[in-house]
Amino acid sequence: MLYEAVTLHRRFPFAVIGGFLFLDARAGSDGSAQRNSTLANAHQHLRLFTGRRDPGSREEQLERVYIVQYDMSDTSMIVTRQAGWLNGPPVTLDETIDELMELIAERNADLYEVKDGHIKRT
């Protein structure tokens, strides 16, 4: 994802790139006294690569990286958080897409505007 982010941000600096890492719901409970859980490790390592603020920021950084925990036996069990926010508030997948769309509108203010929570073409 990092190579793709660099390539895309160099060619299209106003592009908004979002990444999703899907982990099994049990990834948060596989840690031990000697090592962090898979979920904690993912949050720790991916936090550096999320949060690109503007077109002049680090090219290898994505605008948002989300970590999604899911349970295949219970499709209602899906928890999504922005990378680096292990104990942060969960967001829905719809909210992640909305956030990315708002970032696109912000970056391309000559083409889009956000009014009353809706994105409209200018």
Side-chain angles (χ1 to χ4, degrees), residues 31-113:
S32 67
Q34 289 81 29
R35 87 172 189 78
N36 289 331
S37 69
T38 301
L39 180 65
N41 280 328
H43 275 281
Q44 179 182 355
H45 293 294
L46 293 176
R47 71 178 176 194
L48 297 172
F49 302 103
T50 188
R52 185 173 189 252
R53 298 193 194 309
D54 60 64
S57 295
R58 295 172 36 206
E59 293 173 337
E60 71 275 8
Q61 211 171 22
L62 282 71
E63 279 65 24
R64 296 289 183 273
V65 176
Y66 297 99
I67 299 175
V68 182
Q69 284 180 272
Y70 66 93
D71 185 343
M72 290 298 288
S73 62
D74 178 8
T75 55
S76 66
M77 171 46 195
I78 296 176
V79 178
T80 306
R81 289 184 173 86
Q82 187 172 335
W85 293 74
L86 177 61
N87 297 314
V91 294
T92 66
L93 290 175
D94 285 344
E95 289 170 330
T96 65
I97 299 301
D98 289 346
E99 184 177 18
L100 291 169
M101 296 303 288
E102 285 179 18
L103 287 170
I104 291 169
E106 270 180 34
R107 292 265 170 92
N108 299 281
D110 54 332
L111 299 174
Y112 304 100
E113 65 181 353

